[in-house]
Amino acid sequence: MEEAEQDVSQMTSQQALCDPAEQKSRKRLSTLKLFIVALSFAYFSKALTGTYMKSSITQIERRFDLSSTHVGLIDGSFEMGNLLFLAMVSHFGAQLHRPRFIAAGCLLMAVGTLLTGLTHFFMGLYKYDTVIQAFQNNSVSIPACVDPLKTVGMPEILIEPSVEDNKACVSESGSNMWIYVFLGNALRGIGETPVTPLGISYIDDFAKAENSPFYIACLQTITLLGPMFGFLLGSYCAKLYVDVGYVDMESVTITPKDSRWVGAWWMGFMVSSSLLLLSSIPFWFLPRSLPKQGSEKEKSSPSSPALDGAASALSSNQNLKLTEIAKGCSRNISHQEMYTWLFSNFCSFLYVLTKGFLPSLKRLLGTPAYFLLLCGSILKFNSFIGLFTFKAKYMEQQFGQSASRANFLIGVLNLPAVAVGIFLGGLLMRRYKLSVVSGAQLSFATSFMGYLLLLLQFGTKCDNRPVAGLTVSYNGTRSVSYNGEMLFSDCNRDCSCSPDEWDPVCSESGITYVSPCMAGCNSSSGHGKNTVFHNCSCLSTSYPLGSSMSVRLGQCPHAKDCSRSFTSYMAVSVLSSFINSLGATPGYMVIIRCITPDLKSLALGIQALVTRTLGGIPAPVYFGALIDSTCLKWSIKKCGGSGACRIYDSNMYRIIFLGLITCLSGTSYFFIIAVIILLKRQFWNRDQETELQLAKASKGSEIMAQVDPRDEKDARSRSPKLSSDAKECIGVGKDLEG
């Protein structure tokens, strides 16, 4: 008997497992989860690639001999490409195969990233100006003061540019190669367009309503890992020499802290391109649509044949895909049908634009709280983009850190603090159920505290490195000079030195000289990185008698107290990042709640569009232009014209960079304060009306309780209006209490 019951139970479980409906439901669930996993990996890959681009700003600037303004333009090309197609993709993307559209976007991002990295292989080996270059395989003495490239006794190394070289100067390898980096970054921006809107809408369409927020939260959490790994990858690649594997590292005379050092920036783009290519593969095999989770019961109910026919007709009308248009001739689709499809979609787009979009946009921008928030967001986003783009470079120039170490510290310290702050901000909103006004106040308070910490960063500084002729005079007096004539002194005026060269050497006094020639050195010993120059005449002007007259390759390091200042700077920076991010989620919720629900999606879309257009594109350019204004010594290209900056005025760099950020952030607070005042008035009036209704309701209930039944009848006959008002107040009071 027991064996029979066991057989029956086993048969029942097997039937359940083999039930086609059950298997179909599980398959749908697994397909949706597979889509979420694939989309999470795509989010991670695109975030990693974007932050790696930020971390490679310095390397690209030096490799292509560009100014910070040009590099800012390259960085903004991503936003240009992205915003160019964002509206079109968001509108027409839902009518196409969304997973395959996302796959095509990831593939395009991979191609753009690959194009950026491949530019390195089109340029040849990296060459930097140094007097050691002609002698790096020899141990001969270098008389730097008399310019060894023009020494009469050494005809074998005589280098004179020929007429052909001068004519071919325009087509020098790498002179305009930065344009390919610009195009590759723009392609990456175009490819990123369908990933977020179509991915989120796909999840929202086919997941349960209660599961959708959880899935999207998982996506955002995984996305936060991308920037961390992006900066860590940037740190590793910046540590490697750009031509690693192609040159003998013993022949390289510069170090990662040298302003001429270029890391293996291309390597990270190859890794990022591979990740993006892998992320595109799963989407090619995912279905165009899925049944809504939990809708099996609704779908099992009988449906109307007329509705089914209409749905199939609509589906067949919209299923004219782009691939079918491209293959119109082979599939017997006439040109008229193609033109009709394109024209109908264009007309529908114009109809939506004129009948729905413009009136909604007018209503949205007519909401004072939202408009003020939008203005404040533009200013805050400008300051954030400027800081995020040039933060690593600021750490390099202000505190003498290498690009590798700067990227590592940002990825390990700043970004985790931001992630924790965003999470705790959302937790505070949920735990204390903050209202719109309370959320706006929390966002303002945290942002203002971060602003005060930003002001403290003005005090965490390092003085300019003493460079003879630039930040100090040859006798050691501190004086910043932007004039190239100040590079010369009586001690080196007869050395035939070029004011354009940059091959710094360090003396024991801590003063850096622009080149061995500018130091007046007459001999050398050793070779490669270990070269030491002797009998330097300019050292006698700042050295006491009997001191060493030798210099070694490379800039002198910062003073010891600079390391303490850098530690203080990092502590304030991490704390500021954490406190600022605490108000990110409350501020985001204020934007959603200060408008009517039907304008919610449009409000978020307009905010993203406007802030990225007015912040993401221009901010890197004008930040870079202001940074360029603090440059003391530019590199000179072989074809003429200035290239990358070799040394900045650290004090002016700090004042302009931090001053611009504080100015933008400080101005935004005027808008935020105005929003808080508006919201307080708006919700204070609502609260006053509610309290007034409650007071009337309680007063009316007391009157009704005190009235005698006989008097009540007389009161009704004498003043029926008062009686009805009392009843209405009682009803309102009950509704409000309920």
Side-chain angles (χ1 to χ4, degrees):
M1 193 72 179
E2 292 178 357
E3 293 178 357
E5 289 178 357
Q6 289 178 358
D7 292 340
V8 170
S9 64
Q10 287 179 0
M11 289 174 65
T12 307
S13 62
Q14 288 176 359
Q15 286 175 357
L17 288 172
C18 297
D19 186 10
E22 184 71 20
Q23 286 183 346
K24 196 173 182 181
S25 175
R26 291 185 180 183
K27 187 177 180 181
R28 293 166 188 163
L29 184 61
S30 62
T31 304
L32 181 61
K33 288 183 177 179
L34 178 62
F35 178 84
I36 294 169
V37 170
L39 190 63
S40 300
F41 185 63
Y43 267 50
F44 170 82
S45 301
K46 74 182 183 70
L48 184 146
T49 308
T51 50
Y52 179 77
M53 182 69 192
K54 298 283 187 186
S55 70
S56 302
I57 286 294
T58 305
Q59 315 302 319
I60 293 173
E61 176 182 335
R62 295 172 182 171
R63 183 64 182 95
F64 296 93
D65 223 3
L66 302 172
S67 64
S68 296
T69 308
H70 282 92
V71 173
L73 184 65
I74 291 174
D75 185 69
S77 64
F78 172 83
E79 300 290 353
M80 297 177 196
N82 189 270
L83 296 173
L84 192 63
F85 292 91
L86 183 61
M88 187 184 301
V89 169
S90 300
H91 179 72
F92 294 107
Q95 302 177 13
L96 304 173
H97 197 299
R98 280 180 285 185
R100 291 183 184 174
F101 211 158
I102 294 172
C106 292
L107 185 61
L108 190 58
M109 281 195 290
V111 172
T113 308
L114 182 64
L115 176 61
T116 303
L118 283 178
T119 311
H120 163 75
F121 298 98
F122 304 151
M123 298 179 63
L125 298 180
Y126 173 58
K127 296 178 182 178
Y128 53 91
D129 294 329
T130 175
V131 73
I132 311 297
Q133 201 164 21
F135 300 95
Q136 58 191 11
N137 295 324
N138 303 299
S139 58
V140 297
S141 178
I142 305 172
C145 182
V146 291
D147 197 352
L149 300 183
K150 297 177 183 178
T151 301
V152 178
M154 298 181 181
E156 69 276 6
I157 59 166
L158 181 64
I159 300 176
E160 289 291 341
S162 62
V163 178
E164 290 79 8
D165 292 337
N166 291 330
K167 288 182 179 179
C169 189
V170 179
S171 60
E172 178 190 5
S173 176
S175 58
N176 293 315
M177 284 293 179
W178 65 270
I179 296 174
Y180 292 102
V181 180
F182 180 92
L183 293 176
N185 204 36
L187 274 178
R188 186 172 65 85
I190 296 171
E192 196 263 352
T193 305
V195 177
T196 299
L198 300 188
I200 296 295
S201 64
Y202 192 90
I203 293 173
D204 194 54
D205 286 348
F206 304 123
K208 286 183 180 179
E210 59 269 22
N211 291 341
S212 183
F214 172 73
Y215 293 149
I216 295 173
C218 290
L219 281 175
Q220 301 298 335
T221 304
I222 294 172
T223 304
L224 289 174
L225 298 175
M228 299 179 197
F229 283 94
F231 272 104
L232 292 177
L233 180 62
S235 172
Y236 175 75
C237 293
K239 196 183 300 183
L240 303 175
Y241 187 63
V242 61
D243 294 318
V244 60
Y246 294 94
V247 297
D248 181 13
M249 293 304 297
E250 293 295 326
S251 65
V252 179
T253 60
I254 54 178
T255 64
K257 287 191 176 183
D258 196 293
S259 60
R260 294 165 293 172
W261 176 272
V262 177
W265 61 276
W266 54 272
M267 191 179 294
F269 285 109
M270 295 298 178
V271 174
S272 303
S273 178
S274 302
L275 290 175
L276 289 169
L277 181 63
L278 287 175
S279 68
S280 69
I281 294 175
F283 293 105
W284 295 108
F285 304 100
L286 291 170
R288 177 172 180 169
S289 62
L290 290 170
K292 182 87 172 177
Q293 280 186 354
S295 61
E296 285 80 4
K297 292 181 180 179
E298 296 176 5
K299 295 211 173 200
S300 62
S301 60
S303 58
S304 171
L307 289 175
D308 290 344
S312 62
L314 182 63
S315 175
S316 63
N317 187 35
Q318 289 185 346
N319 277 350
L320 187 60
K321 303 176 186 178
L322 294 177
T323 54
E324 293 175 345
I325 294 175
K327 300 177 181 178
C329 295
S330 61
R331 299 172 69 98
N332 295 325
I333 296 176
S334 65
H335 291 289
Q336 185 178 359
E337 288 178 319
M338 287 190 283
Y339 294 146
T340 303
W341 184 85
L342 291 172
F343 182 73
S344 62
N345 277 279
F346 180 71
C347 290
S348 64
F349 179 74
L350 289 179
Y351 178 80
V352 170
L353 184 67
T354 54
K355 295 295 182 181
F357 178 73
L358 292 180
S360 299
L361 182 62
K362 186 177 179 181
R363 283 176 55 208
L364 182 65
L365 297 180
T367 307
Y370 177 80
F371 182 76
L372 291 171
L373 271 175
L374 188 62
C375 295
S377 299
I378 292 170
L379 294 171
K380 287 289 289 182
F381 195 68
N382 271 266
S383 65
F384 169 75
I385 290 295
L387 178 64
F388 193 56
T389 303
F390 293 105
K391 184 180 179 66
K393 182 169 182 173
Y394 176 78
M395 293 164 64
E396 294 173 46
Q397 299 299 327
Q398 185 67 33
F399 302 102
Q401 301 296 314
S402 66
S404 174
R405 180 169 169 77
N407 289 327
F408 177 80
L409 292 175
I410 293 173
V412 169
L413 297 179
N414 286 92
L415 292 179
V418 170
V420 173
I422 292 173
F423 174 77
L424 290 180
L427 201 62
L428 285 173
M429 286 285 292
R430 180 180 177 184
R431 173 68 178 82
Y432 296 102
K433 299 179 180 178
L434 299 179
S435 63
V436 180
V437 178
S438 300
Q441 290 173 335
L442 176 62
S443 179
F444 172 75
T446 55
S447 182
F448 190 71
M449 288 175 63
Y451 178 75
L452 295 178
L453 289 172
L454 182 63
L455 294 177
L456 290 179
Q457 294 182 18
F458 280 97
T460 56
K461 62 177 182 176
C462 292
D463 292 328
N464 280 319
R465 292 183 182 183
V467 180
L470 292 177
T471 59
V472 295
S473 62
Y474 276 86
N475 59 11
T477 307
R478 291 190 175 274
S479 60
V480 177
S481 173
Y482 289 83
N483 186 4
E485 289 297 323
M486 294 298 293
L487 291 173
F488 295 98
S489 179
D490 293 336
C491 62
N492 58 23
R493 203 168 294 276
D494 298 329
C495 291
S496 301
C497 302
S498 170
D500 300 334
E501 61 186 1
W502 176 262
D503 193 13
V505 289
C506 177
S507 64
E508 290 185 3
S509 65
I511 295 179
T512 300
Y513 295 86
V514 171
S515 67
C517 183
M518 288 293 187
C521 301
N522 292 305
S523 62
S524 71
S525 61
H527 65 278
K529 294 179 181 178
N530 301 318
T531 303
V532 178
F533 294 89
H534 308 288
N535 301 323
C536 304
S537 59
C538 290
L539 271 64
S540 60
T541 59
S542 58
Y543 266 61
L545 292 175
S547 301
S548 172
M549 304 293 287
S550 301
V551 294
R552 54 182 173 79
L553 282 176
Q555 281 183 268
C556 297
H558 278 285
K560 291 183 179 179
D561 59 346
C562 185
S563 59
R564 292 194 294 270
S565 296
F566 180 63
T567 303
S568 303
Y569 167 79
M570 285 305 302
V572 172
S573 174
V574 172
L575 186 60
S576 175
S577 300
F578 171 74
I579 293 177
N580 261 316
S581 59
L582 273 175
T585 303
Y588 192 76
M589 296 306 296
V590 169
I591 295 174
I592 295 175
R593 293 178 181 176
C594 73
I595 52 173
T596 55
D598 60 310
L599 296 176
K600 192 181 299 181
S601 299
L602 181 62
L604 295 176
I606 291 297
Q607 190 219 13
L609 180 67
V610 172
T611 53
R612 291 174 66 180
T613 303
L614 301 180
I617 296 175
V621 178
Y622 68 75
F623 264 87
L626 290 172
I627 289 171
D628 286 338
S629 68
T630 66
C631 183
L632 294 175
K633 181 74 173 69
W634 293 93
S635 67
I636 302 299
K637 298 179 180 180
K638 293 179 181 179
C639 303
S642 59
C645 185
R646 296 307 187 196
I647 183 171
Y648 294 88
D649 181 358
S650 297
N651 292 326
M652 284 301 297
Y653 192 124
R654 184 184 71 259
I655 292 170
I656 287 180
F657 182 67
L658 295 180
L660 183 57
I661 293 171
T662 53
C663 181
L664 290 170
S665 299
T667 308
S668 69
Y669 295 134
F670 291 105
F671 293 99
I672 297 174
I673 291 171
V675 168
I676 293 174
I677 294 172
L678 280 175
L679 292 176
K680 273 191 171 183
R681 285 182 178 179
Q682 179 182 348
F683 287 92
W684 184 81
N685 290 335
R686 287 186 188 177
D687 294 340
Q688 288 295 314
E689 290 177 4
T690 304
E691 290 177 4
L692 186 62
Q693 289 177 353
L694 287 171
K696 285 183 178 180
S698 61
K699 188 176 180 180
S701 61
E702 290 176 2
I703 293 172
M704 293 297 295
Q706 292 174 359
V707 171
D708 195 76
R710 297 176 187 174
D711 298 335
E712 183 180 352
K713 191 178 292 183
D714 297 337
R716 283 180 182 174
S717 61
R718 288 195 303 269
S719 180
K721 188 175 181 180
L722 178 65
S723 171
S724 62
D725 287 341
K727 288 183 179 180
E728 185 179 351
C729 290
I730 293 170
V732 171
K734 288 182 179 179
D735 290 339
L736 292 170
E737 290 173 0

